[in-house]
């Protein structure tokens, strides 16, 4: 009897957070909510397990460190969920890193960036993303994981 072909294990999804997201729950809770980044991570771990995914988390306030994580993801991860914070609106370096990684990436924003200041309406990283989720709070991360699970299953 022939063995059924087994799919190789899926590499973990990188959930990458940019500047000031370490201050979730403290910084402007009327905009970003009262959940902490640790709360978001815990919810993502539960959702990832339900979806049969593994996740890795990283956060940095430094653009170069975020670029380093994205570059490492090319070989170590299957996809990226990225909330680049303010670097969304300023960083060609993150766009270039995401393009070079050649992984499916989903851009997440806790707030609805289109209801905020005009400078937040433009994202430099969106052209490298398969999708953008904005304005749904931490649920956006869970939706991004669900979307990646579907993409990776194809």
């Amino acid at each position: 009897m022939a063995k059924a072909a087994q799919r190789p294990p899926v590499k973990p999804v990188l959930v990458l957070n940019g500047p000031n997201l370490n201050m979730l729950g403290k910084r402007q809770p009327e905009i970003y909510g009262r959940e902490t980044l640790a709360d978001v991570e815990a919810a993502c771990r539960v959702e990832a397990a339900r979806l049969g995914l593994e996740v890795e988390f990283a956060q940095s306030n430094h653009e170069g460190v975020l670029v380093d994580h994205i570059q490492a993801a090319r070989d170590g991860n299957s996809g990226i969920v990225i909330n680049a914070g303010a670097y969304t609106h300023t960083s060609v370096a993150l766009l270039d890193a995401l393009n070079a990684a050649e992984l499916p990436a989903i851009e997440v924003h806790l707030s609805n960036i289109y209801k905020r200041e005009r400078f937040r309406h433009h994202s430099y990283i969106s052209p490298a993303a398969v999708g953008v989720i904005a304005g749904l709070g931490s649920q956006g991360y869970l939706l991004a994981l669900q979307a990646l699970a579907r993409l990776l299953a194809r």
Side-chain angles (χ1 to χ4, degrees), residues 7-149:
R7 294 176 75 186
V10 176
K11 295 175 186 175
V13 170
L14 174 62
V15 179
L16 186 58
N17 289 283
N20 296 311
L21 288 160
N22 57 310
M23 298 297 292
L24 281 181
K26 299 174 188 169
R27 175 182 169 243
Q28 296 176 287
E30 67 281 2
I31 295 173
Y32 301 109
R34 299 213 177 273
E35 289 177 290
T36 65
L37 191 56
D39 295 334
V40 172
E41 180 177 342
C44 285
R45 288 196 184 282
V46 169
E47 184 63 10
R50 186 186 76 75
L51 296 166
L53 296 175
E54 289 186 36
V55 288
E56 281 179 13
F57 282 81
Q59 185 278 328
S60 180
N61 294 319
H62 305 282
E63 185 177 28
V65 173
L66 296 170
V67 169
D68 290 342
H69 281 294
I70 294 167
Q71 289 177 355
R74 180 182 169 101
D75 294 322
N77 298 97
S78 60
I80 300 171
V81 173
I82 183 167
N83 183 342
Y87 288 138
T88 299
H89 318 293
T90 64
S91 182
V92 174
L94 290 180
L95 169 65
D96 289 348
L98 287 166
N99 281 327
E102 298 181 335
L103 294 172
I106 299 183
E107 179 182 345
V108 172
H109 300 283
L110 294 164
S111 66
N112 181 348
I113 59 176
Y114 301 102
K115 288 181 78 172
R116 300 194 56 203
E117 303 93 338
R118 188 153 203 74
F119 71 86
R120 295 186 198 273
H121 298 184
H122 177 74
S123 167
Y124 278 94
I125 65 173
S126 289
V130 295
V132 179
I133 301 169
L136 299 177
S138 63
Q139 184 184 7
Y141 287 86
L142 308 182
L143 294 170
L145 289 172
Q146 292 166 18
L148 277 178

